[in-house]
Amino acid sequence: AQSVSQHNHHVILSEAASLELGCNYSYGGTVNLFWYVQYPGQHLQLLLKYFSGDPLVKGIKGFEAEFIKSKFSFNLRKPSVQWSDTAEYFCAVNEAGKLIFGTGTRLQVFP
Amino acid sequence: EPEVTQTPSHQVTQMGQEVILRCVPISNHLYFYWYRQILGQKVEFLVSFYNNEISEKSEIFDDQFSVERPDGSNFTLKIRSTKLEDSAMYFCASSDVAVNTEAFFGQGTRLTVV
């Protein structure tokens, strides 16, 4: 079965700093990959997704992610974070319809 | 924009009681899911449902859990005899197909078992 690893559990940044959150999945083949964000007290919202095609995916709020098949990775990036990006970020892979989530990365951005 | 709705937003129940969590998926979606998130932990898959039957269930989804689509719009999760460790946020999700698509999540129901 698939598994998803997020190595950064807690990231603290100042506003305008660049962000990269790591995500690795366990095995290859055709994969659907996702990044979800969960703002405090809210539900999961989709940031971006990869199904096929261009491995550099652009999402909402200035986020992007790069699918690197050889590294089984789908890292999330943002060139300049804002205080409002403070949230929990979850990477997920679709396995036969169900989503397998990583443990999440808590991002805190200070003004 | 269509959305998945869940009720109630927060439920407090006594240990041993039955609870039913309700979800209204997006109307043209065919695949339905329940996930849960224990406080401070990752989101875990519970069950998927398609064509009026369970497609897949996780180890968490034991005999205490059941799902039902009682009519054309609702999708429910029942926990027969709640335990303290069932306290969690429960998310319903739906999608139009199984793969190469996005699952839409509801706002969640926070279940507190006391």
Side-chain angles (χ1 to χ4, degrees), chain A residues 32 34 36 38 43 46 51 90 94 97-99 102, chain B residues 33 35 37 42 45 56 98 100-103 106-107:
Chain A
N32 296 166
F34 306 84
Y36 283 87
Q38 187 177 32
H43 68 300
L46 183 70
F51 297 153
F90 293 94
N94 183 319
K98 68 178 187 283
L99 290 174
Chain B
Y33 311 88
Y35 293 83
Q37 184 182 29
K42 69 176 180 179
F45 167 78
E56 187 173 355
N100 293 331
T101 191
E102 169 191 348
Q107 298 268 12

mmCIF file with all atom_site columns, all heavy atoms in Angstrom, chain A residues 32 34 36 38 43 46 51 90 94 97-99 102, chain B residues 33 35 37 42 45 56 98 100-103 106-107:
data_model
loop_
_atom_site.group_PDB
_atom_site.id
_atom_site.type_symbol
_atom_site.label_atom_id
_atom_site.label_alt_id
_atom_site.label_comp_id
_atom_site.label_asym_id
_atom_site.label_entity_id
_atom_site.label_seq_id
_atom_site.pdbx_PDB_ins_code
_atom_site.Cartn_x
_atom_site.Cartn_y
_atom_site.Cartn_z
_atom_site.occupancy
_atom_site.B_iso_or_equiv
_atom_site.pdbx_formal_charge
_atom_site.auth_seq_id
_atom_site.auth_comp_id
_atom_site.auth_asym_id
_atom_site.auth_atom_id
_atom_site.pdbx_PDB_model_num
ATOM 1   N N   . ASN A 1 32  ? -1.851  10.048 -8.566  1.00 0.00 ? 32  ASN A N   1
ATOM 2   C CA  . ASN A 1 32  ? -2.516  11.334 -8.421  1.00 0.00 ? 32  ASN A CA  1
ATOM 3   C C   . ASN A 1 32  ? -2.011  11.917 -7.103  1.00 0.00 ? 32  ASN A C   1
ATOM 4   O O   . ASN A 1 32  ? -2.108  11.262 -6.069  1.00 0.00 ? 32  ASN A O   1
ATOM 5   C CB  . ASN A 1 32  ? -4.032  11.194 -8.315  1.00 0.00 ? 32  ASN A CB  1
ATOM 6   C CG  . ASN A 1 32  ? -4.700  10.633 -9.554  1.00 0.00 ? 32  ASN A CG  1
ATOM 7   O OD1 . ASN A 1 32  ? -5.858  10.249 -9.501  1.00 0.00 ? 32  ASN A OD1 1
ATOM 8   N ND2 . ASN A 1 32  ? -3.997  10.573 -10.659 1.00 0.00 ? 32  ASN A ND2 1
ATOM 9   N N   . PHE A 1 34  ? -1.677  15.332 -4.360  1.00 0.00 ? 34  PHE A N   1
ATOM 10  C CA  . PHE A 1 34  ? -2.413  16.503 -3.904  1.00 0.00 ? 34  PHE A CA  1
ATOM 11  C C   . PHE A 1 34  ? -1.681  17.177 -2.741  1.00 0.00 ? 34  PHE A C   1
ATOM 12  O O   . PHE A 1 34  ? -0.985  16.519 -1.959  1.00 0.00 ? 34  PHE A O   1
ATOM 13  C CB  . PHE A 1 34  ? -3.811  16.110 -3.392  1.00 0.00 ? 34  PHE A CB  1
ATOM 14  C CG  . PHE A 1 34  ? -4.634  15.326 -4.359  1.00 0.00 ? 34  PHE A CG  1
ATOM 15  C CD1 . PHE A 1 34  ? -4.483  13.948 -4.462  1.00 0.00 ? 34  PHE A CD1 1
ATOM 16  C CD2 . PHE A 1 34  ? -5.570  15.950 -5.162  1.00 0.00 ? 34  PHE A CD2 1
ATOM 17  C CE1 . PHE A 1 34  ? -5.246  13.205 -5.356  1.00 0.00 ? 34  PHE A CE1 1
ATOM 18  C CE2 . PHE A 1 34  ? -6.340  15.221 -6.056  1.00 0.00 ? 34  PHE A CE2 1
ATOM 19  C CZ  . PHE A 1 34  ? -6.180  13.848 -6.150  1.00 0.00 ? 34  PHE A CZ  1
ATOM 20  N N   . TYR A 1 36  ? -3.167  19.614 0.337   1.00 0.00 ? 36  TYR A N   1
ATOM 21  C CA  . TYR A 1 36  ? -4.312  20.251 0.979   1.00 0.00 ? 36  TYR A CA  1
ATOM 22  C C   . TYR A 1 36  ? -3.799  21.174 2.076   1.00 0.00 ? 36  TYR A C   1
ATOM 23  O O   . TYR A 1 36  ? -2.775  20.914 2.703   1.00 0.00 ? 36  TYR A O   1
ATOM 24  C CB  . TYR A 1 36  ? -5.242  19.217 1.611   1.00 0.00 ? 36  TYR A CB  1
ATOM 25  C CG  . TYR A 1 36  ? -6.122  18.477 0.628   1.00 0.00 ? 36  TYR A CG  1
ATOM 26  C CD1 . TYR A 1 36  ? -5.667  17.326 -0.011  1.00 0.00 ? 36  TYR A CD1 1
ATOM 27  C CD2 . TYR A 1 36  ? -7.410  18.919 0.351   1.00 0.00 ? 36  TYR A CD2 1
ATOM 28  C CE1 . TYR A 1 36  ? -6.478  16.644 -0.903  1.00 0.00 ? 36  TYR A CE1 1
ATOM 29  C CE2 . TYR A 1 36  ? -8.229  18.248 -0.539  1.00 0.00 ? 36  TYR A CE2 1
ATOM 30  C CZ  . TYR A 1 36  ? -7.750  17.106 -1.157  1.00 0.00 ? 36  TYR A CZ  1
ATOM 31  O OH  . TYR A 1 36  ? -8.557  16.430 -2.053  1.00 0.00 ? 36  TYR A OH  1
ATOM 32  N N   . GLN A 1 38  ? -5.115  23.212 5.690   1.00 0.00 ? 38  GLN A N   1
ATOM 33  C CA  . GLN A 1 38  ? -6.147  23.264 6.726   1.00 0.00 ? 38  GLN A CA  1
ATOM 34  C C   . GLN A 1 38  ? -5.827  24.455 7.619   1.00 0.00 ? 38  GLN A C   1
ATOM 35  O O   . GLN A 1 38  ? -4.895  24.405 8.431   1.00 0.00 ? 38  GLN A O   1
ATOM 36  C CB  . GLN A 1 38  ? -6.156  21.966 7.525   1.00 0.00 ? 38  GLN A CB  1
ATOM 37  C CG  . GLN A 1 38  ? -7.296  21.863 8.514   1.00 0.00 ? 38  GLN A CG  1
ATOM 38  C CD  . GLN A 1 38  ? -7.301  20.521 9.241   1.00 0.00 ? 38  GLN A CD  1
ATOM 39  O OE1 . GLN A 1 38  ? -6.259  19.920 9.489   1.00 0.00 ? 38  GLN A OE1 1
ATOM 40  N NE2 . GLN A 1 38  ? -8.480  20.041 9.579   1.00 0.00 ? 38  GLN A NE2 1
ATOM 41  N N   . HIS A 1 43  ? -11.860 23.261 7.498   1.00 0.00 ? 43  HIS A N   1
ATOM 42  C CA  . HIS A 1 43  ? -11.759 21.980 6.822   1.00 0.00 ? 43  HIS A CA  1
ATOM 43  C C   . HIS A 1 43  ? -10.613 21.972 5.818   1.00 0.00 ? 43  HIS A C   1
ATOM 44  O O   . HIS A 1 43  ? -9.944  22.989 5.636   1.00 0.00 ? 43  HIS A O   1
ATOM 45  C CB  . HIS A 1 43  ? -13.077 21.660 6.126   1.00 0.00 ? 43  HIS A CB  1
ATOM 46  C CG  . HIS A 1 43  ? -13.386 22.578 4.964   1.00 0.00 ? 43  HIS A CG  1
ATOM 47  N ND1 . HIS A 1 43  ? -13.518 23.937 5.108   1.00 0.00 ? 43  HIS A ND1 1
ATOM 48  C CD2 . HIS A 1 43  ? -13.571 22.327 3.649   1.00 0.00 ? 43  HIS A CD2 1
ATOM 49  C CE1 . HIS A 1 43  ? -13.790 24.471 3.937   1.00 0.00 ? 43  HIS A CE1 1
ATOM 50  N NE2 . HIS A 1 43  ? -13.824 23.526 3.034   1.00 0.00 ? 43  HIS A NE2 1
ATOM 51  N N   . LEU A 1 46  ? -8.239  22.187 -1.072  1.00 0.00 ? 46  LEU A N   1
ATOM 52  C CA  . LEU A 1 46  ? -7.247  21.777 -2.059  1.00 0.00 ? 46  LEU A CA  1
ATOM 53  C C   . LEU A 1 46  ? -6.398  22.966 -2.494  1.00 0.00 ? 46  LEU A C   1
ATOM 54  O O   . LEU A 1 46  ? -6.918  24.000 -2.891  1.00 0.00 ? 46  LEU A O   1
ATOM 55  C CB  . LEU A 1 46  ? -7.948  21.170 -3.275  1.00 0.00 ? 46  LEU A CB  1
ATOM 56  C CG  . LEU A 1 46  ? -7.026  20.638 -4.355  1.00 0.00 ? 46  LEU A CG  1
ATOM 57  C CD1 . LEU A 1 46  ? -6.316  19.376 -3.866  1.00 0.00 ? 46  LEU A CD1 1
ATOM 58  C CD2 . LEU A 1 46  ? -7.821  20.333 -5.630  1.00 0.00 ? 46  LEU A CD2 1
ATOM 59  N N   . PHE A 1 51  ? -2.085  15.169 -11.879 1.00 0.00 ? 51  PHE A N   1
ATOM 60  C CA  . PHE A 1 51  ? -2.565  13.904 -12.427 1.00 0.00 ? 51  PHE A CA  1
ATOM 61  C C   . PHE A 1 51  ? -1.615  13.411 -13.507 1.00 0.00 ? 51  PHE A C   1
ATOM 62  O O   . PHE A 1 51  ? -1.253  12.240 -13.547 1.00 0.00 ? 51  PHE A O   1
ATOM 63  C CB  . PHE A 1 51  ? -3.971  14.056 -13.011 1.00 0.00 ? 51  PHE A CB  1
ATOM 64  C CG  . PHE A 1 51  ? -5.027  14.428 -11.999 1.00 0.00 ? 51  PHE A CG  1
ATOM 65  C CD1 . PHE A 1 51  ? -6.164  15.120 -12.376 1.00 0.00 ? 51  PHE A CD1 1
ATOM 66  C CD2 . PHE A 1 51  ? -4.885  14.090 -10.660 1.00 0.00 ? 51  PHE A CD2 1
ATOM 67  C CE1 . PHE A 1 51  ? -7.134  15.467 -11.439 1.00 0.00 ? 51  PHE A CE1 1
ATOM 68  C CE2 . PHE A 1 51  ? -5.844  14.433 -9.718  1.00 0.00 ? 51  PHE A CE2 1
ATOM 69  C CZ  . PHE A 1 51  ? -6.970  15.124 -10.120 1.00 0.00 ? 51  PHE A CZ  1
ATOM 70  N N   . PHE A 1 90  ? -1.052  19.309 4.188   1.00 0.00 ? 90  PHE A N   1
ATOM 71  C CA  . PHE A 1 90  ? -1.056  17.851 4.032   1.00 0.00 ? 90  PHE A CA  1
ATOM 72  C C   . PHE A 1 90  ? -0.821  17.469 2.583   1.00 0.00 ? 90  PHE A C   1
ATOM 73  O O   . PHE A 1 90  ? -1.507  17.958 1.678   1.00 0.00 ? 90  PHE A O   1
ATOM 74  C CB  . PHE A 1 90  ? -2.398  17.263 4.473   1.00 0.00 ? 90  PHE A CB  1
ATOM 75  C CG  . PHE A 1 90  ? -2.684  17.382 5.938   1.00 0.00 ? 90  PHE A CG  1
ATOM 76  C CD1 . PHE A 1 90  ? -3.417  18.453 6.426   1.00 0.00 ? 90  PHE A CD1 1
ATOM 77  C CD2 . PHE A 1 90  ? -2.228  16.421 6.831   1.00 0.00 ? 90  PHE A CD2 1
ATOM 78  C CE1 . PHE A 1 90  ? -3.688  18.562 7.778   1.00 0.00 ? 90  PHE A CE1 1
ATOM 79  C CE2 . PHE A 1 90  ? -2.502  16.533 8.188   1.00 0.00 ? 90  PHE A CE2 1
ATOM 80  C CZ  . PHE A 1 90  ? -3.222  17.605 8.665   1.00 0.00 ? 90  PHE A CZ  1
ATOM 81  N N   . ASN A 1 94  ? -3.568  9.521  -4.168  1.00 0.00 ? 94  ASN A N   1
ATOM 82  C CA  . ASN A 1 94  ? -4.798  8.768  -4.407  1.00 0.00 ? 94  ASN A CA  1
ATOM 83  C C   . ASN A 1 94  ? -4.438  7.319  -4.680  1.00 0.00 ? 94  ASN A C   1
ATOM 84  O O   . ASN A 1 94  ? -3.676  7.035  -5.606  1.00 0.00 ? 94  ASN A O   1
ATOM 85  C CB  . ASN A 1 94  ? -5.535  9.374  -5.602  1.00 0.00 ? 94  ASN A CB  1
ATOM 86  C CG  . ASN A 1 94  ? -6.864  8.693  -5.886  1.00 0.00 ? 94  ASN A CG  1
ATOM 87  O OD1 . ASN A 1 94  ? -6.983  7.472  -5.811  1.00 0.00 ? 94  ASN A OD1 1
ATOM 88  N ND2 . ASN A 1 94  ? -7.863  9.479  -6.226  1.00 0.00 ? 94  ASN A ND2 1
ATOM 89  N N   . GLY A 1 97  ? -8.822  5.408  -5.400  1.00 0.00 ? 97  GLY A N   1
ATOM 90  C CA  . GLY A 1 97  ? -9.972  6.192  -4.980  1.00 0.00 ? 97  GLY A CA  1
ATOM 91  C C   . GLY A 1 97  ? -9.835  6.805  -3.608  1.00 0.00 ? 97  GLY A C   1
ATOM 92  O O   . GLY A 1 97  ? -10.385 7.875  -3.353  1.00 0.00 ? 97  GLY A O   1
ATOM 93  N N   . LYS A 1 98  ? -9.119  6.151  -2.704  1.00 0.00 ? 98  LYS A N   1
ATOM 94  C CA  . LYS A 1 98  ? -8.997  6.753  -1.376  1.00 0.00 ? 98  LYS A CA  1
ATOM 95  C C   . LYS A 1 98  ? -7.715  7.560  -1.303  1.00 0.00 ? 98  LYS A C   1
ATOM 96  O O   . LYS A 1 98  ? -6.744  7.292  -2.008  1.00 0.00 ? 98  LYS A O   1
ATOM 97  C CB  . LYS A 1 98  ? -9.004  5.670  -0.293  1.00 0.00 ? 98  LYS A CB  1
ATOM 98  C CG  . LYS A 1 98  ? -7.781  4.769  -0.275  1.00 0.00 ? 98  LYS A CG  1
ATOM 99  C CD  . LYS A 1 98  ? -7.895  3.778  0.857   1.00 0.00 ? 98  LYS A CD  1
ATOM 100 C CE  . LYS A 1 98  ? -6.615  2.972  1.006   1.00 0.00 ? 98  LYS A CE  1
ATOM 101 N NZ  . LYS A 1 98  ? -6.481  1.923  -0.007  1.00 0.00 ? 98  LYS A NZ  1
ATOM 102 N N   . LEU A 1 99  ? -7.747  8.578  -0.450  1.00 0.00 ? 99  LEU A N   1
ATOM 103 C CA  . LEU A 1 99  ? -6.574  9.420  -0.263  1.00 0.00 ? 99  LEU A CA  1
ATOM 104 C C   . LEU A 1 99  ? -5.759  8.927  0.918   1.00 0.00 ? 99  LEU A C   1
ATOM 105 O O   . LEU A 1 99  ? -6.300  8.664  1.992   1.00 0.00 ? 99  LEU A O   1
ATOM 106 C CB  . LEU A 1 99  ? -6.995  10.873 -0.024  1.00 0.00 ? 99  LEU A CB  1
ATOM 107 C CG  . LEU A 1 99  ? -7.592  11.599 -1.231  1.00 0.00 ? 99  LEU A CG  1
ATOM 108 C CD1 . LEU A 1 99  ? -8.095  12.979 -0.825  1.00 0.00 ? 99  LEU A CD1 1
ATOM 109 C CD2 . LEU A 1 99  ? -6.597  11.701 -2.351  1.00 0.00 ? 99  LEU A CD2 1
ATOM 110 N N   . GLY A 1 102 ? -0.184  12.324 4.307   1.00 0.00 ? 102 GLY A N   1
ATOM 111 C CA  . GLY A 1 102 ? 0.993   12.418 5.150   1.00 0.00 ? 102 GLY A CA  1
ATOM 112 C C   . GLY A 1 102 ? 0.602   12.942 6.522   1.00 0.00 ? 102 GLY A C   1
ATOM 113 O O   . GLY A 1 102 ? -0.555  13.287 6.765   1.00 0.00 ? 102 GLY A O   1
ATOM 114 N N   . TYR B 2 33  ? -16.881 9.184  0.739   1.00 0.00 ? 33  TYR B N   1
ATOM 115 C CA  . TYR B 2 33  ? -15.825 8.757  1.650   1.00 0.00 ? 33  TYR B CA  1
ATOM 116 C C   . TYR B 2 33  ? -16.049 9.356  3.035   1.00 0.00 ? 33  TYR B C   1
ATOM 117 O O   . TYR B 2 33  ? -16.603 10.446 3.173   1.00 0.00 ? 33  TYR B O   1
ATOM 118 C CB  . TYR B 2 33  ? -14.458 9.255  1.152   1.00 0.00 ? 33  TYR B CB  1
ATOM 119 C CG  . TYR B 2 33  ? -14.170 8.969  -0.299  1.00 0.00 ? 33  TYR B CG  1
ATOM 120 C CD1 . TYR B 2 33  ? -14.571 9.860  -1.298  1.00 0.00 ? 33  TYR B CD1 1
ATOM 121 C CD2 . TYR B 2 33  ? -13.497 7.814  -0.682  1.00 0.00 ? 33  TYR B CD2 1
ATOM 122 C CE1 . TYR B 2 33  ? -14.316 9.603  -2.640  1.00 0.00 ? 33  TYR B CE1 1
ATOM 123 C CE2 . TYR B 2 33  ? -13.232 7.558  -2.029  1.00 0.00 ? 33  TYR B CE2 1
ATOM 124 C CZ  . TYR B 2 33  ? -13.641 8.457  -2.998  1.00 0.00 ? 33  TYR B CZ  1
ATOM 125 O OH  . TYR B 2 33  ? -13.387 8.199  -4.316  1.00 0.00 ? 33  TYR B OH  1
ATOM 126 N N   . TYR B 2 35  ? -13.460 10.158 6.357   1.00 0.00 ? 35  TYR B N   1
ATOM 127 C CA  . TYR B 2 35  ? -12.121 10.210 6.919   1.00 0.00 ? 35  TYR B CA  1
ATOM 128 C C   . TYR B 2 35  ? -12.249 10.718 8.348   1.00 0.00 ? 35  TYR B C   1
ATOM 129 O O   . TYR B 2 35  ? -13.237 11.365 8.703   1.00 0.00 ? 35  TYR B O   1
ATOM 130 C CB  . TYR B 2 35  ? -11.230 11.187 6.143   1.00 0.00 ? 35  TYR B CB  1
ATOM 131 C CG  . TYR B 2 35  ? -10.911 10.775 4.731   1.00 0.00 ? 35  TYR B CG  1
ATOM 132 C CD1 . TYR B 2 35  ? -11.796 11.029 3.685   1.00 0.00 ? 35  TYR B CD1 1
ATOM 133 C CD2 . TYR B 2 35  ? -9.705  10.143 4.428   1.00 0.00 ? 35  TYR B CD2 1
ATOM 134 C CE1 . TYR B 2 35  ? -11.500 10.655 2.381   1.00 0.00 ? 35  TYR B CE1 1
ATOM 135 C CE2 . TYR B 2 35  ? -9.394  9.771  3.129   1.00 0.00 ? 35  TYR B CE2 1
ATOM 136 C CZ  . TYR B 2 35  ? -10.294 10.036 2.114   1.00 0.00 ? 35  TYR B CZ  1
ATOM 137 O OH  . TYR B 2 35  ? -9.988  9.657  0.833   1.00 0.00 ? 35  TYR B OH  1
ATOM 138 N N   . GLN B 2 37  ? -9.851  12.578 11.694  1.00 0.00 ? 37  GLN B N   1
ATOM 139 C CA  . GLN B 2 37  ? -8.597  13.192 12.116  1.00 0.00 ? 37  GLN B CA  1
ATOM 140 C C   . GLN B 2 37  ? -8.651  13.361 13.624  1.00 0.00 ? 37  GLN B C   1
ATOM 141 O O   . GLN B 2 37  ? -9.371  14.218 14.140  1.00 0.00 ? 37  GLN B O   1
ATOM 142 C CB  . GLN B 2 37  ? -8.407  14.546 11.432  1.00 0.00 ? 37  GLN B CB  1
ATOM 143 C CG  . GLN B 2 37  ? -7.077  15.210 11.742  1.00 0.00 ? 37  GLN B CG  1
ATOM 144 C CD  . GLN B 2 37  ? -6.942  16.579 11.087  1.00 0.00 ? 37  GLN B CD  1
ATOM 145 O OE1 . GLN B 2 37  ? -7.927  17.273 10.860  1.00 0.00 ? 37  GLN B OE1 1
ATOM 146 N NE2 . GLN B 2 37  ? -5.717  16.967 10.784  1.00 0.00 ? 37  GLN B NE2 1
ATOM 147 N N   . LYS B 2 42  ? -2.748  12.877 11.730  1.00 0.00 ? 42  LYS B N   1
ATOM 148 C CA  . LYS B 2 42  ? -3.034  13.020 10.302  1.00 0.00 ? 42  LYS B CA  1
ATOM 149 C C   . LYS B 2 42  ? -4.454  12.559 9.987   1.00 0.00 ? 42  LYS B C   1
ATOM 150 O O   . LYS B 2 42  ? -5.123  11.919 10.789  1.00 0.00 ? 42  LYS B O   1
ATOM 151 C CB  . LYS B 2 42  ? -2.038  12.215 9.476   1.00 0.00 ? 42  LYS B CB  1
ATOM 152 C CG  . LYS B 2 42  ? -2.162  10.718 9.599   1.00 0.00 ? 42  LYS B CG  1
ATOM 153 C CD  . LYS B 2 42  ? -1.187  10.042 8.652   1.00 0.00 ? 42  LYS B CD  1
ATOM 154 C CE  . LYS B 2 42  ? -1.272  8.542  8.742   1.00 0.00 ? 42  LYS B CE  1
ATOM 155 N NZ  . LYS B 2 42  ? -0.340  7.883  7.813   1.00 0.00 ? 42  LYS B NZ  1
ATOM 156 N N   . PHE B 2 45  ? -8.113  7.555  6.336   1.00 0.00 ? 45  PHE B N   1
ATOM 157 C CA  . PHE B 2 45  ? -9.228  7.013  5.567   1.00 0.00 ? 45  PHE B CA  1
ATOM 158 C C   . PHE B 2 45  ? -10.014 6.021  6.416   1.00 0.00 ? 45  PHE B C   1
ATOM 159 O O   . PHE B 2 45  ? -9.434  5.177  7.103   1.00 0.00 ? 45  PHE B O   1
ATOM 160 C CB  . PHE B 2 45  ? -8.686  6.320  4.318   1.00 0.00 ? 45  PHE B CB  1
ATOM 161 C CG  . PHE B 2 45  ? -9.668  5.470  3.589   1.00 0.00 ? 45  PHE B CG  1
ATOM 162 C CD1 . PHE B 2 45  ? -10.623 6.032  2.766   1.00 0.00 ? 45  PHE B CD1 1
ATOM 163 C CD2 . PHE B 2 45  ? -9.622  4.084  3.706   1.00 0.00 ? 45  PHE B CD2 1
ATOM 164 C CE1 . PHE B 2 45  ? -11.526 5.237  2.085   1.00 0.00 ? 45  PHE B CE1 1
ATOM 165 C CE2 . PHE B 2 45  ? -10.517 3.280  3.029   1.00 0.00 ? 45  PHE B CE2 1
ATOM 166 C CZ  . PHE B 2 45  ? -11.471 3.853  2.212   1.00 0.00 ? 45  PHE B CZ  1
ATOM 167 N N   . GLU B 2 56  ? -14.272 -0.010 -0.094  1.00 0.00 ? 56  GLU B N   1
ATOM 168 C CA  . GLU B 2 56  ? -13.081 -0.333 0.682   1.00 0.00 ? 56  GLU B CA  1
ATOM 169 C C   . GLU B 2 56  ? -13.246 0.237  2.084   1.00 0.00 ? 56  GLU B C   1
ATOM 170 O O   . GLU B 2 56  ? -13.896 1.261  2.264   1.00 0.00 ? 56  GLU B O   1
ATOM 171 C CB  . GLU B 2 56  ? -11.833 0.256  0.026   1.00 0.00 ? 56  GLU B CB  1
ATOM 172 C CG  . GLU B 2 56  ? -10.533 -0.164 0.668   1.00 0.00 ? 56  GLU B CG  1
ATOM 173 C CD  . GLU B 2 56  ? -9.308  0.300  -0.094  1.00 0.00 ? 56  GLU B CD  1
ATOM 174 O OE1 . GLU B 2 56  ? -9.446  0.872  -1.198  1.00 0.00 ? 56  GLU B OE1 1
ATOM 175 O OE2 . GLU B 2 56  ? -8.190  0.087  0.428   1.00 0.00 ? 56  GLU B OE2 1
ATOM 176 N N   . ALA B 2 98  ? -13.349 7.882  -9.435  1.00 0.00 ? 98  ALA B N   1
ATOM 177 C CA  . ALA B 2 98  ? -12.462 7.409  -8.369  1.00 0.00 ? 98  ALA B CA  1
ATOM 178 C C   . ALA B 2 98  ? -11.056 7.977  -8.470  1.00 0.00 ? 98  ALA B C   1
ATOM 179 O O   . ALA B 2 98  ? -10.430 8.290  -7.458  1.00 0.00 ? 98  ALA B O   1
ATOM 180 C CB  . ALA B 2 98  ? -12.412 5.876  -8.378  1.00 0.00 ? 98  ALA B CB  1
ATOM 181 N N   . ASN B 2 100 ? -7.982  10.345 -10.923 1.00 0.00 ? 100 ASN B N   1
ATOM 182 C CA  . ASN B 2 100 ? -7.787  11.504 -11.801 1.00 0.00 ? 100 ASN B CA  1
ATOM 183 C C   . ASN B 2 100 ? -8.824  12.584 -11.553 1.00 0.00 ? 100 ASN B C   1
ATOM 184 O O   . ASN B 2 100 ? -9.334  13.219 -12.486 1.00 0.00 ? 100 ASN B O   1
ATOM 185 C CB  . ASN B 2 100 ? -7.812  11.085 -13.274 1.00 0.00 ? 100 ASN B CB  1
ATOM 186 C CG  . ASN B 2 100 ? -6.625  10.211 -13.630 1.00 0.00 ? 100 ASN B CG  1
ATOM 187 O OD1 . ASN B 2 100 ? -5.547  10.328 -13.030 1.00 0.00 ? 100 ASN B OD1 1
ATOM 188 N ND2 . ASN B 2 100 ? -6.812  9.312  -14.561 1.00 0.00 ? 100 ASN B ND2 1
ATOM 189 N N   . THR B 2 101 ? -9.150  12.755 -10.304 1.00 0.00 ? 101 THR B N   1
ATOM 190 C CA  . THR B 2 101 ? -10.127 13.778 -9.955  1.00 0.00 ? 101 THR B CA  1
ATOM 191 C C   . THR B 2 101 ? -9.848  14.260 -8.543  1.00 0.00 ? 101 THR B C   1
ATOM 192 O O   . THR B 2 101 ? -9.049  13.673 -7.811  1.00 0.00 ? 101 THR B O   1
ATOM 193 C CB  . THR B 2 101 ? -11.557 13.244 -10.057 1.00 0.00 ? 101 THR B CB  1
ATOM 194 O OG1 . THR B 2 101 ? -12.489 14.329 -9.957  1.00 0.00 ? 101 THR B OG1 1
ATOM 195 C CG2 . THR B 2 101 ? -11.851 12.256 -8.934  1.00 0.00 ? 101 THR B CG2 1
ATOM 196 N N   . GLU B 2 102 ? -10.522 15.314 -8.170  1.00 0.00 ? 102 GLU B N   1
ATOM 197 C CA  . GLU B 2 102 ? -10.368 15.883 -6.842  1.00 0.00 ? 102 GLU B CA  1
ATOM 198 C C   . GLU B 2 102 ? -11.519 15.441 -5.959  1.00 0.00 ? 102 GLU B C   1
ATOM 199 O O   . GLU B 2 102 ? -12.666 15.397 -6.409  1.00 0.00 ? 102 GLU B O   1
ATOM 200 C CB  . GLU B 2 102 ? -10.391 17.410 -6.981  1.00 0.00 ? 102 GLU B CB  1
ATOM 201 C CG  . GLU B 2 102 ? -10.490 18.194 -5.706  1.00 0.00 ? 102 GLU B CG  1
ATOM 202 C CD  . GLU B 2 102 ? -10.778 19.659 -5.969  1.00 0.00 ? 102 GLU B CD  1
ATOM 203 O OE1 . GLU B 2 102 ? -10.671 20.106 -7.131  1.00 0.00 ? 102 GLU B OE1 1
ATOM 204 O OE2 . GLU B 2 102 ? -11.112 20.362 -5.003  1.00 0.00 ? 102 GLU B OE2 1
ATOM 205 N N   . ALA B 2 103 ? -11.218 15.087 -4.719  1.00 0.00 ? 103 ALA B N   1
ATOM 206 C CA  . ALA B 2 103 ? -12.261 14.827 -3.736  1.00 0.00 ? 103 ALA B CA  1
ATOM 207 C C   . ALA B 2 103 ? -12.571 16.130 -3.013  1.00 0.00 ? 103 ALA B C   1
ATOM 208 O O   . ALA B 2 103 ? -11.664 16.867 -2.627  1.00 0.00 ? 103 ALA B O   1
ATOM 209 C CB  . ALA B 2 103 ? -11.811 13.772 -2.739  1.00 0.00 ? 103 ALA B CB  1
ATOM 210 N N   . GLY B 2 106 ? -16.126 18.082 3.160   1.00 0.00 ? 106 GLY B N   1
ATOM 211 C CA  . GLY B 2 106 ? -17.008 18.893 3.962   1.00 0.00 ? 106 GLY B CA  1
ATOM 212 C C   . GLY B 2 106 ? -16.249 19.570 5.084   1.00 0.00 ? 106 GLY B C   1
ATOM 213 O O   . GLY B 2 106 ? -15.044 19.369 5.261   1.00 0.00 ? 106 GLY B O   1
ATOM 214 N N   . GLN B 2 107 ? -16.987 20.373 5.852   1.00 0.00 ? 107 GLN B N   1
ATOM 215 C CA  . GLN B 2 107 ? -16.386 21.162 6.934   1.00 0.00 ? 107 GLN B CA  1
ATOM 216 C C   . GLN B 2 107 ? -16.002 20.303 8.132   1.00 0.00 ? 107 GLN B C   1
ATOM 217 O O   . GLN B 2 107 ? -15.251 20.742 8.991   1.00 0.00 ? 107 GLN B O   1
ATOM 218 C CB  . GLN B 2 107 ? -17.377 22.242 7.391   1.00 0.00 ? 107 GLN B CB  1
ATOM 219 C CG  . GLN B 2 107 ? -17.744 23.242 6.323   1.00 0.00 ? 107 GLN B CG  1
ATOM 220 C CD  . GLN B 2 107 ? -16.833 24.448 6.342   1.00 0.00 ? 107 GLN B CD  1
ATOM 221 O OE1 . GLN B 2 107 ? -15.806 24.460 6.999   1.00 0.00 ? 107 GLN B OE1 1
ATOM 222 N NE2 . GLN B 2 107 ? -17.200 25.471 5.597   1.00 0.00 ? 107 GLN B NE2 1
#
